């Protein structure tokens, strides 16, 4: 819009400028009243926070990140949402940078329904009944493979290093996924390693690199490639297995003998959040049992809420390969906790991907 001030004089000019200022002020106020949510693709769906939208129509604006390392970099550089959705292994890192404010569990209406194994995680505790993250979702990382194209494979992460499938495999482009698996196969503790041990992990990653079609976090493209047969195996999360099975694609989500990875993620409130009350309303909406039930049934991920699992039949959970008690899953999988050498691992991984 162009304003021709030369055609307006005296009181009319003043009145016009006053009206313009009031309109701009109103626009800014409306923007400030909309919750800014920074999250993974697929987690922005309105079905996850129906009660929030009933109370605050059009009250949330979501921005999508590729993974939570990408999210950390953007927030550290100055992007300021009200709420972000990283995973547990990153919370201490965000907190160390002074990016977070504690969340008062007395304002979280279903806090007591969250499984103790998640709400008692050490890096979440902020003292005085407060936490740095409210757990919301959990799930697994494993190999999703075409059962008609990969016949009776050994239940091992080594499948993603099998030369007979060169060029027809993909893996996740994230330091807390592919390098962790490489460490497990190299016999190294992924969460605390010496420089010599890190070099062993790098060597394992270099061995894999020429066999891959891609490193990616775009699960939609991976699912399409698996469905077409372009890929025969890929590292994915539960949601890809759930989606392709619903489409009738012959796939299996492997239980590697070395252990699937298990992760837990949730909501953190940024230190400079402008909409704190809206943030609490949003978190509480996401902790409705129906929200967790939708997460389970739509994506095959676990909810942090025992009440959400109560609404899903055992038969359906068995099809999703998801136990109603996360402790059962954690006994046979590798829980993705904080990595002491996260930054060094990330640099090493980038170097390997680039051919180094």
């Amino acid at each position: 819009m162009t304003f021709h001030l030369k055609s307006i004089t005296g009181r009319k000019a003043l009145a016009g400028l006053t009206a313009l200022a009031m309109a701009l002020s109103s626009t800014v106020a409306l923007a400030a009243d909309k919750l800014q949510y920074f999250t993974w693709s697929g987690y922005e769906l309105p079905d996850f926070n129906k009660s929030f939208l009933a109370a605050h129509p059009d009250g949330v604006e979501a921005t999508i990140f590729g993974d939570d390392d990408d999210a950390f970099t953007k927030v550290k550089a100055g992007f300021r949402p009200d709420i972000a959705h990283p995973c547990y292994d990153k919370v201490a890192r965000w907190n160390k940078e002074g990016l977070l404010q504690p969340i008062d569990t007395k304002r979280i209406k279903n806090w007591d329904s969250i499984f103790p194994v998640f709400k008692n995680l050490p890096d979440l505790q902020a003292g005085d009944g407060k936490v740095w993250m409210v757990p919301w979702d959990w799930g697994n990382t494993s190999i999703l493979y075409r059962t008609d194209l990969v016949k009776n494979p050994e239940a091992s992460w080594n499948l993603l290093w099998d030369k007979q499938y060169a060029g027809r495999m993909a893996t996740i482009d994230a330091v807390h996924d592919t390098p962790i698996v490489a460490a497990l196969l190299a016999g190294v503790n992924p969460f605390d390693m010496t420089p010599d041990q890190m070099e062993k992990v790098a060597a394992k990653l270099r061995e894999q690199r020429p066999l891959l079609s891609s490193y990616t976090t775009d699960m939609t493209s991976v699912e399409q490639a698996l469905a077409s047969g372009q890929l025969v195996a890929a590292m994915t999360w539960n949601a890809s297995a759930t989606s392709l099975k619903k489409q009738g694609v012959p796939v299996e989500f492997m239980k590697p003998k070395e252990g699937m990875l298990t992760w837990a993620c949730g909501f953190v409130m940024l230190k400079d959040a402008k909409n704190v009350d809206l943030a609490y309303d949003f978190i509480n909406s996401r902790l409705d049992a129906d929200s967790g039930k939708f997460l389970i049934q739509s994506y095959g991920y676990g909810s942090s809420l025992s009440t959400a699992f109560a609404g899903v039949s055992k038969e359906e959970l068995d099809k999703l390969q998801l136990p109603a008690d996360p402790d059962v899953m954690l006994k046979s999988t590798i829980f993705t906790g904080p990595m002491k050498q996260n930054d060094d691992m990330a640099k090493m991984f980038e170097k390997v991907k680039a051919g180094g």
Side-chain angles (χ1 to χ4, degrees), residues 94-140:
W94 288 55
N95 200 14
K96 184 179 178 181
E97 291 292 330
L99 299 174
L100 307 179
Q101 62 173 290
I103 298 171
D104 189 349
T105 60
K106 291 191 285 292
R107 296 186 63 179
I108 304 301
K109 65 179 183 181
N110 284 330
W111 179 253
D112 289 342
S113 296
I114 296 176
F115 289 106
V117 69
F118 296 128
K119 67 182 179 182
N120 294 331
L121 286 167
D123 283 350
L124 301 192
Q125 311 311 313
D128 194 29
K130 297 179 180 180
V131 292
W132 297 112
M133 183 186 87
V134 175
W136 186 68
D137 57 309
W138 59 274
N140 304 110

Side-chain angles (χ1 to χ4, degrees), residues 270-287:
L270 278 294
K271 186 177 181 180
D272 300 323
K274 294 179 173 62
N275 300 293
V276 171
D277 289 337
L278 281 179
Y280 277 104
D281 287 351
F282 181 83
I283 293 171
N284 281 323
S285 179
R286 289 271 170 142
L287 288 176

